Amino acid sequence: MSDHVYKSIELTGSSTTGIEEAVERALEKASNTVHNMRWFEVVETRGHIEDGQVAHWQVTVKVGFTLDD
């Protein structure tokens, strides 16, 4: 195993469909500018309620990526 240095950031994705899609949207958008992403950890899940039903989900993830050499 090689030695790595990781940096982490927090992202929040949202979706009207569900938690998994909210995570995927956050990671997909970040991948446009953040390279070498290696792991994520869900740190917060919340949602918005309209008329007694879930209107959308928001999921905050911590994402780790390796720094360029």
Side-chain angles (χ1 to χ4, degrees):
M1 180 175 179
S2 59
D3 295 329
H4 293 288
V5 173
Y6 294 91
K7 180 171 179 63
S8 62
I9 57 173
E10 284 193 357
L11 307 168
T12 301
S14 64
S15 169
T16 57
T17 305
I19 295 169
E20 187 174 334
E21 184 174 287
V23 171
E24 290 172 353
R25 284 183 177 191
L27 295 175
E28 181 178 346
K29 182 70 172 178
S31 71
N32 292 329
T33 56
V34 178
H35 306 288
N36 303 320
M37 291 190 296
R38 300 290 184 234
W39 55 265
F40 74 91
E41 171 188 358
V42 174
V43 295
E44 185 174 28
T45 305
R46 61 186 172 275
H48 180 74
I49 302 168
E50 290 181 7
D51 299 322
Q53 296 190 1
V54 175
H56 70 268
W57 294 91
Q58 290 182 327
V59 180
T60 300
V61 292
K62 183 185 287 187
V63 178
F65 57 96
T66 55
L67 299 175
D68 292 334
D69 290 330

Short mmCIF file of all heavy atoms in Angstrom, two decimals:
data_model
loop_
_atom_site.label_atom_id
_atom_site.label_comp_id
_atom_site.label_asym_id
_atom_site.label_seq_id
_atom_site.Cartn_x
_atom_site.Cartn_y
_atom_site.Cartn_z
N MET A 1 0.85 -1.19 0.00
CA MET A 1 0.00 0.00 0.00
C MET A 1 0.89 1.23 0.00
O MET A 1 1.79 1.36 0.80
CB MET A 1 -0.90 -0.02 1.24
CG MET A 1 -1.80 1.15 1.34
SD MET A 1 -2.90 0.94 2.77
CE MET A 1 -3.79 2.44 2.63
N SER A 2 0.61 2.15 -0.91
CA SER A 2 1.41 3.37 -0.96
C SER A 2 0.90 4.39 0.05
O SER A 2 -0.24 4.33 0.50
CB SER A 2 1.39 3.95 -2.37
OG SER A 2 0.07 4.22 -2.75
N ASP A 3 1.79 5.31 0.41
CA ASP A 3 1.42 6.35 1.36
C ASP A 3 0.65 7.44 0.63
O ASP A 3 1.05 7.89 -0.44
CB ASP A 3 2.68 6.95 1.99
CG ASP A 3 3.42 5.93 2.84
OD1 ASP A 3 2.76 5.05 3.41
OD2 ASP A 3 4.65 6.02 2.92
N HIS A 4 -0.45 7.87 1.22
CA HIS A 4 -1.27 8.93 0.63
C HIS A 4 -1.51 10.02 1.65
O HIS A 4 -1.54 9.77 2.85
CB HIS A 4 -2.63 8.40 0.18
CG HIS A 4 -2.57 7.44 -0.96
ND1 HIS A 4 -2.27 7.82 -2.25
CD2 HIS A 4 -2.78 6.10 -1.01
CE1 HIS A 4 -2.29 6.76 -3.04
NE2 HIS A 4 -2.60 5.71 -2.31
N VAL A 5 -1.72 11.21 1.17
CA VAL A 5 -2.21 12.31 1.99
C VAL A 5 -3.59 12.64 1.43
O VAL A 5 -3.77 12.79 0.23
CB VAL A 5 -1.28 13.54 1.90
CG1 VAL A 5 -1.90 14.72 2.63
CG2 VAL A 5 0.09 13.20 2.47
N TYR A 6 -4.57 12.72 2.33
CA TYR A 6 -5.94 13.00 1.92
C TYR A 6 -6.36 14.37 2.41
O TYR A 6 -5.93 14.83 3.47
CB TYR A 6 -6.91 11.97 2.51
CG TYR A 6 -6.72 10.58 1.99
CD1 TYR A 6 -5.89 9.69 2.63
CD2 TYR A 6 -7.38 10.16 0.85
CE1 TYR A 6 -5.70 8.41 2.15
CE2 TYR A 6 -7.21 8.87 0.36
CZ TYR A 6 -6.37 8.00 1.02
OH TYR A 6 -6.20 6.73 0.55
N LYS A 7 -7.20 15.00 1.64
CA LYS A 7 -7.88 16.22 2.05
C LYS A 7 -9.37 15.88 2.02
O LYS A 7 -9.80 15.06 1.21
CB LYS A 7 -7.58 17.37 1.10
CG LYS A 7 -8.26 18.67 1.49
CD LYS A 7 -7.75 19.83 0.65
CE LYS A 7 -8.43 21.13 1.00
NZ LYS A 7 -8.20 21.60 2.35
N SER A 8 -10.15 16.48 2.90
CA SER A 8 -11.58 16.20 2.88
C SER A 8 -12.37 17.51 2.81
O SER A 8 -11.92 18.56 3.28
CB SER A 8 -12.00 15.39 4.10
OG SER A 8 -11.76 16.09 5.29
N ILE A 9 -13.52 17.41 2.18
CA ILE A 9 -14.46 18.52 2.05
C ILE A 9 -15.85 18.01 2.38
O ILE A 9 -16.10 16.80 2.37
CB ILE A 9 -14.44 19.12 0.63
CG1 ILE A 9 -14.76 18.05 -0.42
CG2 ILE A 9 -13.11 19.78 0.33
CD1 ILE A 9 -14.93 18.59 -1.83
N GLU A 10 -16.77 18.91 2.68
CA GLU A 10 -18.16 18.53 2.88
C GLU A 10 -19.00 19.07 1.74
O GLU A 10 -18.82 20.22 1.30
CB GLU A 10 -18.69 19.05 4.22
CG GLU A 10 -18.21 18.24 5.39
CD GLU A 10 -18.97 18.54 6.66
OE1 GLU A 10 -19.86 19.41 6.67
OE2 GLU A 10 -18.67 17.89 7.67
N LEU A 11 -19.90 18.24 1.26
CA LEU A 11 -20.81 18.59 0.18
C LEU A 11 -22.23 18.27 0.61
O LEU A 11 -22.44 17.33 1.38
CB LEU A 11 -20.50 17.76 -1.07
CG LEU A 11 -19.08 17.77 -1.60
CD1 LEU A 11 -18.91 16.67 -2.64
CD2 LEU A 11 -18.77 19.12 -2.20
N THR A 12 -23.21 19.01 0.12
CA THR A 12 -24.61 18.68 0.37
C THR A 12 -25.33 18.56 -0.96
O THR A 12 -25.33 19.50 -1.76
CB THR A 12 -25.28 19.76 1.24
OG1 THR A 12 -24.59 19.87 2.48
CG2 THR A 12 -26.74 19.40 1.52
N GLY A 13 -25.90 17.38 -1.19
CA GLY A 13 -26.68 17.13 -2.39
C GLY A 13 -28.15 17.05 -2.04
O GLY A 13 -28.51 16.74 -0.90
N SER A 14 -29.01 17.31 -3.00
CA SER A 14 -30.45 17.22 -2.76
C SER A 14 -31.13 16.45 -3.88
O SER A 14 -30.62 16.35 -4.99
CB SER A 14 -31.07 18.61 -2.61
OG SER A 14 -30.95 19.34 -3.80
N SER A 15 -32.29 15.91 -3.54
CA SER A 15 -33.05 15.11 -4.50
C SER A 15 -34.50 15.03 -4.04
O SER A 15 -34.78 14.92 -2.85
CB SER A 15 -32.47 13.70 -4.60
OG SER A 15 -33.34 12.85 -5.32
N THR A 16 -35.41 15.02 -5.01
CA THR A 16 -36.82 14.78 -4.69
C THR A 16 -37.11 13.28 -4.65
O THR A 16 -38.17 12.87 -4.18
CB THR A 16 -37.74 15.44 -5.74
OG1 THR A 16 -37.40 14.94 -7.03
CG2 THR A 16 -37.62 16.95 -5.71
N THR A 17 -36.16 12.47 -5.11
CA THR A 17 -36.36 11.03 -5.21
C THR A 17 -35.92 10.28 -3.95
O THR A 17 -36.64 9.41 -3.47
CB THR A 17 -35.60 10.47 -6.43
OG1 THR A 17 -36.03 11.18 -7.59
CG2 THR A 17 -35.87 9.00 -6.61
N GLY A 18 -34.72 10.57 -3.45
CA GLY A 18 -34.25 9.83 -2.28
C GLY A 18 -32.84 10.17 -1.86
O GLY A 18 -32.14 10.97 -2.51
N ILE A 19 -32.42 9.54 -0.79
CA ILE A 19 -31.12 9.80 -0.18
C ILE A 19 -29.98 9.41 -1.11
O ILE A 19 -29.02 10.16 -1.28
CB ILE A 19 -31.02 9.03 1.15
CG1 ILE A 19 -32.04 9.57 2.15
CG2 ILE A 19 -29.62 9.10 1.73
CD1 ILE A 19 -32.22 8.72 3.39
N GLU A 20 -30.05 8.24 -1.71
CA GLU A 20 -28.97 7.78 -2.58
C GLU A 20 -28.75 8.73 -3.75
O GLU A 20 -27.61 9.05 -4.10
CB GLU A 20 -29.27 6.36 -3.09
CG GLU A 20 -28.12 5.76 -3.85
CD GLU A 20 -28.37 4.30 -4.22
OE1 GLU A 20 -29.14 3.62 -3.52
OE2 GLU A 20 -27.78 3.85 -5.22
N GLU A 21 -29.82 9.20 -4.35
CA GLU A 21 -29.69 10.13 -5.47
C GLU A 21 -29.08 11.45 -5.02
O GLU A 21 -28.31 12.07 -5.75
CB GLU A 21 -31.03 10.38 -6.15
CG GLU A 21 -30.90 11.26 -7.38
CD GLU A 21 -32.20 11.40 -8.14
OE1 GLU A 21 -32.61 10.41 -8.79
OE2 GLU A 21 -32.81 12.49 -8.07
N ALA A 22 -29.41 11.90 -3.82
CA ALA A 22 -28.82 13.14 -3.30
C ALA A 22 -27.31 13.00 -3.16
O ALA A 22 -26.56 13.91 -3.53
CB ALA A 22 -29.45 13.50 -1.95
N VAL A 23 -26.85 11.85 -2.67
CA VAL A 23 -25.41 11.60 -2.55
C VAL A 23 -24.78 11.57 -3.93
O VAL A 23 -23.73 12.19 -4.18
CB VAL A 23 -25.14 10.28 -1.80
CG1 VAL A 23 -23.66 9.90 -1.86
CG2 VAL A 23 -25.61 10.36 -0.35
N GLU A 24 -25.39 10.84 -4.85
CA GLU A 24 -24.84 10.71 -6.20
C GLU A 24 -24.75 12.06 -6.91
O GLU A 24 -23.77 12.34 -7.59
CB GLU A 24 -25.68 9.73 -7.02
CG GLU A 24 -25.50 8.30 -6.53
CD GLU A 24 -26.46 7.32 -7.19
OE1 GLU A 24 -27.37 7.76 -7.94
OE2 GLU A 24 -26.31 6.12 -6.95
N ARG A 25 -25.73 12.92 -6.71
CA ARG A 25 -25.70 14.25 -7.33
C ARG A 25 -24.54 15.08 -6.78
O ARG A 25 -23.86 15.78 -7.53
CB ARG A 25 -27.01 14.98 -7.11
CG ARG A 25 -28.11 14.48 -7.98
CD ARG A 25 -29.36 15.28 -7.78
NE ARG A 25 -30.39 14.80 -8.70
CZ ARG A 25 -31.51 15.41 -8.92
NH1 ARG A 25 -31.78 16.55 -8.32
NH2 ARG A 25 -32.40 14.90 -9.76
N ALA A 26 -24.35 15.04 -5.48
CA ALA A 26 -23.25 15.80 -4.87
C ALA A 26 -21.91 15.32 -5.41
O ALA A 26 -21.05 16.13 -5.79
CB ALA A 26 -23.29 15.67 -3.35
N LEU A 27 -21.71 14.01 -5.47
CA LEU A 27 -20.44 13.46 -5.95
C LEU A 27 -20.22 13.74 -7.43
O LEU A 27 -19.11 14.08 -7.85
CB LEU A 27 -20.37 11.96 -5.67
CG LEU A 27 -20.37 11.55 -4.20
CD1 LEU A 27 -20.42 10.04 -4.07
CD2 LEU A 27 -19.18 12.13 -3.47
N GLU A 28 -21.27 13.60 -8.21
CA GLU A 28 -21.15 13.84 -9.65
C GLU A 28 -20.78 15.29 -9.94
O GLU A 28 -19.90 15.57 -10.75
CB GLU A 28 -22.46 13.48 -10.36
CG GLU A 28 -22.40 13.66 -11.86
CD GLU A 28 -23.69 13.27 -12.56
OE1 GLU A 28 -24.54 12.62 -11.94
OE2 GLU A 28 -23.84 13.63 -13.73
N LYS A 29 -21.44 16.22 -9.27
CA LYS A 29 -21.14 17.64 -9.48
C LYS A 29 -19.72 17.96 -9.04
O LYS A 29 -18.98 18.65 -9.75
CB LYS A 29 -22.15 18.49 -8.71
CG LYS A 29 -21.98 19.97 -8.89
CD LYS A 29 -22.35 20.39 -10.29
CE LYS A 29 -22.37 21.91 -10.38
NZ LYS A 29 -22.68 22.37 -11.72
N ALA A 30 -19.30 17.44 -7.89
CA ALA A 30 -17.95 17.72 -7.38
C ALA A 30 -16.88 17.14 -8.29
O ALA A 30 -15.80 17.71 -8.42
CB ALA A 30 -17.80 17.17 -5.97
N SER A 31 -17.18 16.02 -8.95
CA SER A 31 -16.17 15.37 -9.79
C SER A 31 -15.77 16.23 -10.99
O SER A 31 -14.74 15.96 -11.61
CB SER A 31 -16.66 14.00 -10.26
OG SER A 31 -17.70 14.13 -11.22
N ASN A 32 -16.55 17.27 -11.29
CA ASN A 32 -16.18 18.18 -12.37
C ASN A 32 -14.94 19.00 -12.02
O ASN A 32 -14.21 19.42 -12.91
CB ASN A 32 -17.33 19.13 -12.71
CG ASN A 32 -18.50 18.41 -13.34
OD1 ASN A 32 -18.33 17.42 -14.04
ND2 ASN A 32 -19.69 18.89 -13.07
N THR A 33 -14.72 19.26 -10.74
CA THR A 33 -13.59 20.10 -10.33
C THR A 33 -12.69 19.46 -9.29
O THR A 33 -11.55 19.89 -9.13
CB THR A 33 -14.09 21.45 -9.78
OG1 THR A 33 -15.00 21.20 -8.70
CG2 THR A 33 -14.79 22.27 -10.85
N VAL A 34 -13.17 18.45 -8.58
CA VAL A 34 -12.36 17.78 -7.56
C VAL A 34 -11.92 16.43 -8.12
O VAL A 34 -12.76 15.62 -8.53
CB VAL A 34 -13.15 17.56 -6.25
CG1 VAL A 34 -12.30 16.84 -5.22
CG2 VAL A 34 -13.64 18.89 -5.70
N HIS A 35 -10.62 16.20 -8.15
CA HIS A 35 -10.09 14.97 -8.74
C HIS A 35 -9.58 14.04 -7.65
O HIS A 35 -9.32 14.46 -6.52
CB HIS A 35 -8.98 15.31 -9.73
CG HIS A 35 -9.43 16.30 -10.76
ND1 HIS A 35 -10.30 15.97 -11.77
CD2 HIS A 35 -9.18 17.62 -10.91
CE1 HIS A 35 -10.56 17.04 -12.50
NE2 HIS A 35 -9.88 18.06 -11.99
N ASN A 36 -9.45 12.78 -7.98
CA ASN A 36 -8.90 11.76 -7.08
C ASN A 36 -9.77 11.50 -5.86
O ASN A 36 -9.27 11.16 -4.80
CB ASN A 36 -7.48 12.12 -6.65
CG ASN A 36 -6.54 12.32 -7.81
OD1 ASN A 36 -6.59 11.59 -8.80
ND2 ASN A 36 -5.70 13.33 -7.73
N MET A 37 -11.10 11.65 -6.00
CA MET A 37 -11.99 11.35 -4.87
C MET A 37 -11.90 9.85 -4.58
O MET A 37 -11.93 9.03 -5.49
CB MET A 37 -13.42 11.76 -5.17
CG MET A 37 -13.61 13.25 -5.24
SD MET A 37 -15.34 13.78 -5.32
CE MET A 37 -15.87 13.07 -6.88
N ARG A 38 -11.78 9.50 -3.30
CA ARG A 38 -11.58 8.11 -2.92
C ARG A 38 -12.64 7.54 -1.99
O ARG A 38 -12.90 6.36 -2.00
CB ARG A 38 -10.21 7.94 -2.23
CG ARG A 38 -9.03 8.35 -3.09
CD ARG A 38 -8.84 7.34 -4.21
NE ARG A 38 -7.65 7.68 -4.98
CZ ARG A 38 -7.62 7.86 -6.27
NH1 ARG A 38 -8.72 7.73 -6.98
NH2 ARG A 38 -6.51 8.16 -6.89
N TRP A 39 -13.24 8.35 -1.14
CA TRP A 39 -14.22 7.83 -0.18
C TRP A 39 -15.21 8.92 0.21
O TRP A 39 -14.97 10.09 -0.02
CB TRP A 39 -13.54 7.27 1.07
CG TRP A 39 -12.61 8.23 1.78
CD1 TRP A 39 -11.25 8.32 1.60
CD2 TRP A 39 -12.95 9.23 2.73
NE1 TRP A 39 -10.73 9.32 2.39
CE2 TRP A 39 -11.75 9.90 3.10
CE3 TRP A 39 -14.13 9.65 3.31
CZ2 TRP A 39 -11.72 10.93 4.03
CZ3 TRP A 39 -14.10 10.69 4.23
CH2 TRP A 39 -12.91 11.31 4.58
N PHE A 40 -16.34 8.49 0.74
CA PHE A 40 -17.29 9.45 1.30
C PHE A 40 -17.92 8.86 2.56
O PHE A 40 -17.94 7.66 2.76
CB PHE A 40 -18.37 9.85 0.29
CG PHE A 40 -19.41 8.81 0.03
CD1 PHE A 40 -20.58 8.76 0.77
CD2 PHE A 40 -19.23 7.86 -0.97
CE1 PHE A 40 -21.54 7.79 0.52
CE2 PHE A 40 -20.18 6.90 -1.23
CZ PHE A 40 -21.34 6.86 -0.48
N GLU A 41 -18.40 9.76 3.40
CA GLU A 41 -19.05 9.39 4.64
C GLU A 41 -20.28 10.27 4.79
O GLU A 41 -20.18 11.51 4.70
CB GLU A 41 -18.10 9.62 5.81
CG GLU A 41 -18.70 9.48 7.18
CD GLU A 41 -17.73 9.91 8.27
OE1 GLU A 41 -16.58 10.27 7.98
OE2 GLU A 41 -18.16 9.90 9.44
N VAL A 42 -21.45 9.68 4.99
CA VAL A 42 -22.66 10.46 5.21
C VAL A 42 -22.61 11.03 6.63
O VAL A 42 -22.47 10.27 7.59
CB VAL A 42 -23.93 9.60 5.01
CG1 VAL A 42 -25.18 10.39 5.39
CG2 VAL A 42 -24.02 9.11 3.57
N VAL A 43 -22.68 12.35 6.75
CA VAL A 43 -22.59 12.98 8.07
C VAL A 43 -23.90 13.60 8.53
O VAL A 43 -24.08 13.84 9.72
CB VAL A 43 -21.45 14.03 8.13
CG1 VAL A 43 -20.10 13.37 7.96
CG2 VAL A 43 -21.62 15.12 7.11
N GLU A 44 -24.83 13.83 7.60
CA GLU A 44 -26.11 14.39 7.99
C GLU A 44 -27.15 14.10 6.91
O GLU A 44 -26.86 14.15 5.72
CB GLU A 44 -25.98 15.90 8.18
CG GLU A 44 -27.23 16.56 8.70
CD GLU A 44 -27.02 18.04 9.01
OE1 GLU A 44 -26.16 18.69 8.38
OE2 GLU A 44 -27.72 18.55 9.89
N THR A 45 -28.35 13.77 7.35
CA THR A 45 -29.46 13.55 6.44
C THR A 45 -30.65 14.36 6.96
O THR A 45 -30.96 14.31 8.15
CB THR A 45 -29.86 12.06 6.38
OG1 THR A 45 -28.71 11.30 6.03
CG2 THR A 45 -30.95 11.82 5.37
N ARG A 46 -31.27 15.10 6.07
CA ARG A 46 -32.44 15.86 6.46
C ARG A 46 -33.35 16.00 5.24
O ARG A 46 -32.96 15.66 4.14
CB ARG A 46 -32.06 17.23 7.02
CG ARG A 46 -31.32 18.11 6.05
CD ARG A 46 -30.82 19.39 6.72
NE ARG A 46 -29.97 20.11 5.81
CZ ARG A 46 -28.66 19.87 5.66
NH1 ARG A 46 -28.08 18.93 6.37
NH2 ARG A 46 -27.95 20.56 4.80
N GLY A 47 -34.54 16.51 5.46
CA GLY A 47 -35.47 16.68 4.35
C GLY A 47 -36.39 17.85 4.57
O GLY A 47 -36.43 18.45 5.64
N HIS A 48 -37.11 18.16 3.53
CA HIS A 48 -38.08 19.26 3.54
C HIS A 48 -39.47 18.66 3.40
O HIS A 48 -39.70 17.78 2.57
CB HIS A 48 -37.77 20.21 2.37
CG HIS A 48 -38.70 21.37 2.30
ND1 HIS A 48 -38.63 22.43 3.17
CD2 HIS A 48 -39.74 21.63 1.46
CE1 HIS A 48 -39.57 23.30 2.87
NE2 HIS A 48 -40.26 22.83 1.84
N ILE A 49 -40.39 19.15 4.20
CA ILE A 49 -41.76 18.61 4.22
C ILE A 49 -42.71 19.64 3.62
O ILE A 49 -42.67 20.81 3.98
CB ILE A 49 -42.19 18.29 5.66
CG1 ILE A 49 -41.23 17.30 6.30
CG2 ILE A 49 -43.63 17.78 5.69
CD1 ILE A 49 -41.41 17.16 7.79
N GLU A 50 -43.56 19.17 2.71
CA GLU A 50 -44.64 19.99 2.16
C GLU A 50 -45.93 19.19 2.20
O GLU A 50 -45.96 18.04 1.74
CB GLU A 50 -44.32 20.41 0.72
CG GLU A 50 -43.21 21.41 0.60
CD GLU A 50 -42.93 21.82 -0.85
OE1 GLU A 50 -43.70 21.42 -1.75
OE2 GLU A 50 -41.94 22.52 -1.06
N ASP A 51 -46.97 19.77 2.74
CA ASP A 51 -48.28 19.12 2.83
C ASP A 51 -48.20 17.74 3.48
O ASP A 51 -48.84 16.78 3.04
CB ASP A 51 -48.93 19.01 1.44
CG ASP A 51 -49.17 20.38 0.81
OD1 ASP A 51 -49.54 21.32 1.56
OD2 ASP A 51 -48.99 20.50 -0.42
N GLY A 52 -47.35 17.61 4.51
CA GLY A 52 -47.26 16.37 5.26
C GLY A 52 -46.46 15.27 4.59
O GLY A 52 -46.45 14.15 5.07
N GLN A 53 -45.79 15.57 3.48
CA GLN A 53 -45.01 14.56 2.77
C GLN A 53 -43.60 15.08 2.49
O GLN A 53 -43.37 16.29 2.46
CB GLN A 53 -45.68 14.18 1.46
CG GLN A 53 -47.02 13.51 1.67
CD GLN A 53 -47.56 12.93 0.38
OE1 GLN A 53 -46.94 13.00 -0.68
NE2 GLN A 53 -48.73 12.33 0.45
N VAL A 54 -42.69 14.15 2.27
CA VAL A 54 -41.31 14.53 1.94
C VAL A 54 -41.29 15.20 0.57
O VAL A 54 -41.70 14.60 -0.42
CB VAL A 54 -40.38 13.30 1.94
CG1 VAL A 54 -38.98 13.70 1.49
CG2 VAL A 54 -40.33 12.64 3.31
N ALA A 55 -40.82 16.44 0.53
CA ALA A 55 -40.72 17.16 -0.74
C ALA A 55 -39.35 16.94 -1.37
O ALA A 55 -39.24 16.81 -2.59
CB ALA A 55 -40.96 18.65 -0.52
N HIS A 56 -38.30 16.95 -0.55
CA HIS A 56 -36.97 16.61 -1.05
C HIS A 56 -36.05 16.25 0.11
O HIS A 56 -36.31 16.59 1.25
CB HIS A 56 -36.37 17.73 -1.91
CG HIS A 56 -35.98 18.97 -1.15
ND1 HIS A 56 -36.81 20.03 -0.99
CD2 HIS A 56 -34.82 19.29 -0.53
CE1 HIS A 56 -36.21 20.97 -0.30
NE2 HIS A 56 -34.99 20.55 0.00
N TRP A 57 -35.02 15.52 -0.24
CA TRP A 57 -33.99 15.08 0.71
C TRP A 57 -32.75 15.94 0.53
O TRP A 57 -32.43 16.35 -0.58
CB TRP A 57 -33.60 13.62 0.42
CG TRP A 57 -34.69 12.65 0.66
CD1 TRP A 57 -35.61 12.22 -0.26
CD2 TRP A 57 -35.00 11.99 1.87
NE1 TRP A 57 -36.46 11.32 0.32
CE2 TRP A 57 -36.11 11.16 1.64
CE3 TRP A 57 -34.43 12.02 3.14
CZ2 TRP A 57 -36.66 10.37 2.62
CZ3 TRP A 57 -34.99 11.22 4.12
CH2 TRP A 57 -36.09 10.42 3.87
N GLN A 58 -32.03 16.15 1.63
CA GLN A 58 -30.71 16.78 1.60
C GLN A 58 -29.76 15.89 2.38
O GLN A 58 -30.06 15.51 3.51
CB GLN A 58 -30.72 18.17 2.24
CG GLN A 58 -31.48 19.19 1.43
CD GLN A 58 -31.41 20.56 2.08
OE1 GLN A 58 -31.37 20.68 3.29
NE2 GLN A 58 -31.40 21.59 1.26
N VAL A 59 -28.63 15.56 1.76
CA VAL A 59 -27.65 14.69 2.41
C VAL A 59 -26.28 15.38 2.35
O VAL A 59 -25.83 15.77 1.28
CB VAL A 59 -27.57 13.31 1.73
CG1 VAL A 59 -26.55 12.43 2.42
CG2 VAL A 59 -28.94 12.65 1.72
N THR A 60 -25.66 15.52 3.52
CA THR A 60 -24.32 16.09 3.59
C THR A 60 -23.33 14.94 3.71
O THR A 60 -23.51 14.05 4.55
CB THR A 60 -24.18 17.05 4.78
OG1 THR A 60 -25.13 18.10 4.62
CG2 THR A 60 -22.78 17.64 4.86
N VAL A 61 -22.32 14.96 2.86
CA VAL A 61 -21.29 13.93 2.87
C VAL A 61 -19.92 14.57 3.03
O VAL A 61 -19.67 15.68 2.55
CB VAL A 61 -21.29 13.08 1.58
CG1 VAL A 61 -22.54 12.23 1.49
CG2 VAL A 61 -21.15 13.94 0.33
N LYS A 62 -19.04 13.88 3.76
CA LYS A 62 -17.65 14.26 3.82
C LYS A 62 -16.95 13.42 2.75
O LYS A 62 -17.16 12.20 2.69
CB LYS A 62 -17.05 13.94 5.18
CG LYS A 62 -15.61 14.38 5.34
CD LYS A 62 -15.02 13.95 6.67
CE LYS A 62 -15.59 14.77 7.79
NZ LYS A 62 -14.91 14.47 9.08
N VAL A 63 -16.18 14.06 1.89
CA VAL A 63 -15.53 13.38 0.78
C VAL A 63 -14.03 13.52 0.94
O VAL A 63 -13.50 14.63 1.14
CB VAL A 63 -15.97 13.98 -0.58
CG1 VAL A 63 -15.24 13.31 -1.73
CG2 VAL A 63 -17.47 13.89 -0.75
N GLY A 64 -13.32 12.39 0.83
CA GLY A 64 -11.87 12.41 0.90
C GLY A 64 -11.26 12.22 -0.46
O GLY A 64 -11.76 11.41 -1.27
N PHE A 65 -10.22 12.97 -0.75
CA PHE A 65 -9.52 12.81 -2.03
C PHE A 65 -8.03 12.93 -1.80
O PHE A 65 -7.58 13.57 -0.86
CB PHE A 65 -10.01 13.82 -3.08
CG PHE A 65 -9.88 15.26 -2.67
CD1 PHE A 65 -8.79 16.01 -3.07
CD2 PHE A 65 -10.87 15.87 -1.91
CE1 PHE A 65 -8.67 17.35 -2.71
CE2 PHE A 65 -10.77 17.20 -1.55
CZ PHE A 65 -9.66 17.94 -1.94
N THR A 66 -7.26 12.25 -2.66
CA THR A 66 -5.82 12.31 -2.54
C THR A 66 -5.30 13.57 -3.23
O THR A 66 -5.85 14.02 -4.23
CB THR A 66 -5.14 11.07 -3.17
OG1 THR A 66 -5.56 10.95 -4.53
CG2 THR A 66 -5.48 9.82 -2.42
N LEU A 67 -4.24 14.11 -2.66
CA LEU A 67 -3.61 15.29 -3.23
C LEU A 67 -2.64 14.86 -4.33
O LEU A 67 -2.04 13.79 -4.26
CB LEU A 67 -2.84 16.06 -2.15
CG LEU A 67 -3.72 16.58 -1.01
CD1 LEU A 67 -2.86 17.21 0.07
CD2 LEU A 67 -4.74 17.59 -1.52
N ASP A 68 -2.52 15.70 -5.34
CA ASP A 68 -1.58 15.41 -6.43
C ASP A 68 -0.16 15.43 -5.91
O ASP A 68 0.18 16.19 -5.00
CB ASP A 68 -1.71 16.44 -7.55
CG ASP A 68 -3.05 16.33 -8.28
OD1 ASP A 68 -3.63 15.23 -8.28
OD2 ASP A 68 -3.49 17.35 -8.83
N ASP A 69 0.69 14.60 -6.52
CA ASP A 69 2.11 14.58 -6.15
C ASP A 69 2.82 15.79 -6.67
O ASP A 69 2.50 16.40 -7.62
CB ASP A 69 2.80 13.32 -6.69
CG ASP A 69 2.31 12.08 -5.95
OD1 ASP A 69 1.95 12.19 -4.77
OD2 ASP A 69 2.30 11.02 -6.58
#
